[in-house]
Amino acid sequence: MPRPGFVLEVDRSTPPLLFWRGENFSLEKLPAGRSRVIYPPEPLEPLHDIDGAIRGALLNPIDQDPLPAQLFPGMKLTIAFDDVSLPLPKMRRPDVRQRAIEAVLDLAAVAGVDDVHIIAALGLHRRMHEYEMRHALGDRVYDAFHGRGMLYQHDAEDHDNLTVIGTTDEGEVLEINKRAADSDLIVYVNINSVAMDGGWKSITTGLASYRSLSHHHNPETLENTRSLMGHRHQSALHTSVWRLGKVLRDHGPKVFQIETTLNTDMFPSPFEFINKREWEWTAKDRGTFLATTKSLNRTPIKLARKIFHGMEGPHQMTSVQAGETEAVHRLTLDNVHKQQLMEVHGQTDILTLGIPFVCPYNPDGVMNPVLVMCMGLGYLFNMYRNKPLVREGGVVIMTHPCYRDFNPVHHPSYIDFFEQVLADTTNPAEMSRKWEKQYAEDEWYRHLYRTGNAYHGVHPFYAWYWGAHGLQHAGKVIIVGGDPSTVRRLGFTPASTLDDAFEIASDVVGRSPTISHLHVPALLIADVQ
């Protein structure tokens, strides 16, 4: 049986701990007697008959008729699927999205359904490259549908192909893809890598317009989202999304939701040491770590990125459920929690985070400085339920080189956001008021989003807002090993070493602070009591 998550109290015998530093690693010692390491649970056993499990879910859905009973000749069937932002690293082929979509298409063919469109649910994310579409869907699906214009990517700026479904009692407008809105049935294929995904969020963000997304992707909502991964009553974001979901359920097309969960077997050989606890490293693991870090130290950064982004994770499916959206999502969350949830007692003065080479917004690209902030304060800081791992007013310390480097194809508006907006303010509410509209409506950014592979012009704002609660909660943020001028532009404090960072932090938390280190990846949800 896989072992549950583990909280290690650091003592003098504890070996140095693995910290990510972008496209490399370091080993760091934490102070004995007042530090702890939060290790994720080990990977659960996967389903052995994945295709059988998917077919079983389609034939035995939750709170809905079997999928074949909902299919008929002449109907409009739209299949939407999660984009390239997950899982990370990308999954070995065949991807579970391919398996689920092929199973749906087989049933549709038997039922005589000819009008089938497949849509990548991008929201405001960048368009997927052809090789990414083929990886997620398989060559068979891509070749059969793309050439006929029946496989394409959602365009949140194509106003001729957006439809307003309705408005919530709070004035939030639900505007989604017209083809999806006009369908007799939407089948949504989801991968739940983390607890905040899935449910009504799938369609009300993935197939929505900027107007819809702006109701909940804003500083006020995200500052009042006290736990992205926890209970919905702690999340203003999810409260808004569920209100929009009610509008979709009451006034929109019928939805058949397919949700899958994965274990945390994320890294292939020779990177298996990443998923292990350091004191359990074998001689081979130690040798592999030393050889890997020495090699990466000599490797040009562009080549190192290519190596890391070329990884294909072993990710294995642990569950699949289908049917009515809310009923499905409740079971999905149970399965996510079985893999990721672990009990942790109390908060500490400092939280340390090793920031890896990738986040949901830079697959096959550069982890630019804005995304370092988003990954640290937006994602990793929020990997908790109930309370953050660090106390209010405490210190967050991250390790990352923080290169002043951007992918001009994927992140053109990020470049200007860094140089223009962050030079003016790092306050989410102020930048929203002064700058967001200009970026959101810029015709050049809109053109690059619609015709190229660029994130929407407003996306760097949303990445920054994602860390709004972390910014508000922390008394100081320090980045170890980052380019000093870049770190200061983010509004944070640079440090050369982890010991230097602890010294700097003493101004806020005193000389003997308690410390939590979140050992990532893999993924976990710290249930902080």
Side-chain angles (χ1 to χ4, degrees), residues 349-352 390-391 393-397 474-478 505 508-509:
D349 299 310
I350 294 175
L351 174 64
T352 59
V390 61
R391 66 169 174 81
V395 175
V396 176
I397 299 175
K476 184 184 282 289
V477 179
I478 302 169
V508 177
V509 295

Side-chain angles (χ1 to χ4, degrees), residues 50-51 54 87 90-103 132-141 191 260 262 312-317:
I50 294 173
D51 294 323
I54 291 171
K90 61 178 174 284
M91 182 183 296
R92 286 177 184 165
R93 298 179 73 175
D95 191 290
V96 298
R97 284 164 289 206
Q98 173 187 338
R99 292 181 182 230
I101 289 172
E102 286 182 346
E132 293 171 321
M133 295 274 278
R134 288 185 178 276
H135 189 97
L137 303 180
D139 294 328
R140 173 188 167 203
V141 171
I191 296 176
T260 65
L262 305 176
E312 295 188 4
H315 309 281
Q316 295 291 316
M317 196 169 81

Side-chain angles (χ1 to χ4, degrees), residues 364-440:
D364 209 16
V366 178
M367 179 77 104
N368 66 57
V370 178
L371 294 180
V372 171
M373 179 275 192
C374 178
M375 184 62 172
L377 295 184
Y379 282 94
L380 298 183
F381 169 85
N382 278 294
M383 298 303 288
Y384 71 86
R385 191 166 77 169
N386 295 321
K387 298 178 182 179
L389 281 162
V390 61
R391 66 169 174 81
E392 188 169 4
V395 175
V396 176
I397 299 175
M398 301 185 272
T399 55
H400 193 276
C402 243
Y403 309 107
R404 192 173 292 205
D405 193 3
F406 297 81
N407 186 314
V409 175
H410 293 169
H411 299 122
S413 65
Y414 276 73
I415 300 171
D416 295 334
F417 176 88
F418 182 85
E419 297 293 346
Q420 187 178 43
V421 178
L422 291 182
D424 177 52
T425 181
T426 59
N427 180 279
E430 187 175 350
M431 66 174 60
S432 173
R433 184 175 63 254
K434 291 176 64 175
W435 293 100
E436 181 180 323
K437 187 174 188 291
Q438 174 183 329
Y439 278 67

Side-chain angles (χ1 to χ4, degrees), residues 164-293:
V164 173
I165 300 294
T167 305
T168 71
D169 292 340
E170 285 71 20
E172 300 145 315
V173 177
L174 178 62
E175 183 177 43
I176 67 168
N177 183 281
K178 181 174 173 58
R179 162 69 198 202
D182 292 344
S183 296
D184 295 294
L185 181 67
I186 301 174
V187 175
Y188 196 98
V189 179
N190 153 271
I191 296 176
N192 258 73
S193 288
V194 291
M196 72 173 186
D197 290 338
W200 292 120
K201 185 170 178 284
S202 295
I203 291 177
T204 63
T205 61
L207 295 180
S209 66
Y210 166 67
R211 176 162 65 148
S212 271
L213 286 162
S214 66
H215 291 301
H216 43 74
H217 280 54
N218 58 63
E220 182 180 2
T221 300
L222 288 162
E223 284 177 354
N224 286 291
T225 294
R226 300 305 183 185
S227 177
L228 278 170
M229 308 296 169
H231 307 293
R232 187 148 36 94
H233 70 265
Q234 290 183 282
S235 172
L237 170 73
H238 283 84
T239 299
S240 175
V241 166
W242 251 247
R243 286 195 296 261
L244 291 164
K246 183 178 185 298
V247 172
L248 180 63
R249 182 189 64 206
D250 294 344
H251 305 290
K254 191 172 185 180
V255 177
F256 187 89
Q257 186 89 356
I258 303 171
E259 295 192 347
T260 65
T261 59
L262 305 176
N263 68 12
T264 51
D265 190 5
M266 299 172 68
F267 289 93
S269 180
F271 293 95
E272 292 161 327
F273 63 85
I274 297 171
N275 283 333
K276 294 185 178 181
R277 299 166 185 175
E278 290 83 356
W279 70 90
E280 296 175 341
W281 282 5
T282 63
K284 180 182 176 183
D285 292 325
R286 290 191 292 270
T288 301
F289 169 81
L290 290 171
T292 299
T293 52

Side-chain angles (χ1 to χ4, degrees), residues 33 54 57 66-67 78 82 128 180 202 239 264 273 277 296 329 331 334 339 359 404 406 443 445 454 474 495 518-519:
I54 291 171
L67 183 58
T78 296
D82 283 345
M128 297 164 68
S202 295
T239 299
T264 51
F273 63 85
R277 299 166 185 175
L296 288 170
H329 193 60
L331 187 54
D334 287 343
Q339 174 62 84
C359 77
R404 192 173 292 205
F406 297 81
E443 288 299 330
Y445 297 148
L518 191 66
H519 199 278

Side-chain angles (χ1 to χ4, degrees), residues 468-489:
H469 178 220
L471 276 176
Q472 186 184 56
H473 185 87
K476 184 184 282 289
V477 179
I478 302 169
I479 298 185
V480 176
D483 172 68
S485 64
T486 301
V487 173
R488 292 189 183 100
R489 173 63 59 86

